[in-house]
Amino acid sequence: MIIKRPQDLRPSEITRESAYLSRRAFTRALAAGTALAAAPALASSLQDELTPESIVTSYNNFYEFGLDKGDPAKYAHEMVTEPWKVRVTGEAEKTGEYDLESILRGLDVEERIYRFRCVEAWSMVVPWMGVPLSKVLSRFAPTSKARYVAFETLHRPSQMRGQRALFSGLDWPYVEGLRMDEAMHPLTLLVTGVYGKPLPNQNGAPWRLMVPWKYGFKSGKSIVRIHFTETQPKTTWNLSAPREYGFYANVNPQVDHPRWSQAQERRLPASFFSAKQPTLMFNGYGEQVASLYSGMDLRRYF
Ligand SMILES: Nc1nc2c(c(=O)[nH]1)N[C@H]1C(S)=C(S)[C@@H](COP(=O)(O)O)O[C@H]1N2
Ligand SMILES: [Mo]
């Protein structure tokens, strides 16, 4: 099997011309045999301009390094990402501690251009590189009791200054979770690179989640533990402000955050004066994911 690592991509293969990139990613998805799942998402990005790499890697939320959007780019280099161990626990046959490298061995890295919508009402369009989460989770043979999967991210105050801060905003470690069918959905990626390069620390090296139809906070960075569970796991933002942040966190222009509207977003790069654009249901991925939530009251399960 071919392992296509982000490093193997020549920088000259990367362009900001979005239509070209989408076509190229589409071809690559075809080659990887995942065209059916990947094609609609990629095709619908055709009208979207890519957010410049310089912004993707310098305007970040990663509270482990501080509350300011510029803090992660300034301080995340203090985090050591090699070697990287991942603990797998709970309702699965193959639990234990693994090297990240051994988990990813033999899996094809694909490029996926995804819209990414933060709960704070800004958005980006990013060429991520990664492997479908489903392929990784299958390796651990989850049992029939695994109805949810929880992700825990790195807790290492010596290298993460936000975790040493008096007011760090959150409790550590950062925890997130998905229902198993959301986790196994072909759009859900484990990201290992961006813009054809290995993932910068500020974006969640060495690997982070990307769930494009959910608000950004569901996409935990620098993951060190995968826990399969029968019951819905606790999640960091829900613990910190339960009225404001739910477990599902599906992008939904019709359900406002208690303190602001979610109907519109500012696409980065943006100035204070640039126009907002309408936010799309499920961030524009409704055709692929709406069926996961049929019959659910999305106001209640926000
Ligand atoms: N471990 C961890 N993961 C995290 C966060 C965080 O503070 N800590 N912030 C989340 C939020 S709110 C967003 S919007 C995205 C930002 O990802 P980006 O900086 O790569 O754009 O990361 C998410 N993952
Ligand atoms: Mo966010």
Side-chain angles (χ1 to χ4, degrees), residues 56 59-64 116-120 122 124 128 153 170 172 174 202-204 208 216-222 237:
V56 174
Y59 186 89
N60 302 102
N61 270 338
F62 201 166
Y63 276 31
E64 284 86 335
F116 180 63
R117 170 65 155 77
C118 177
V119 73
E120 295 168 89
W122 47 266
M124 307 191 283
W128 301 108
T153 77
L170 298 171
W172 311 111
Y174 192 99
Q202 60 267 34
N203 293 95
R208 60 88 59 84
F217 67 86
K218 294 298 289 181
S219 293
K221 295 175 167 180
S222 306
W237 281 99

Side-chain angles (χ1 to χ4, degrees), residues 64-75:
E64 284 86 335
F65 297 104
L67 304 180
D68 196 88
K69 303 281 181 257
D71 286 338
K74 259 189 239 154
Y75 303 122

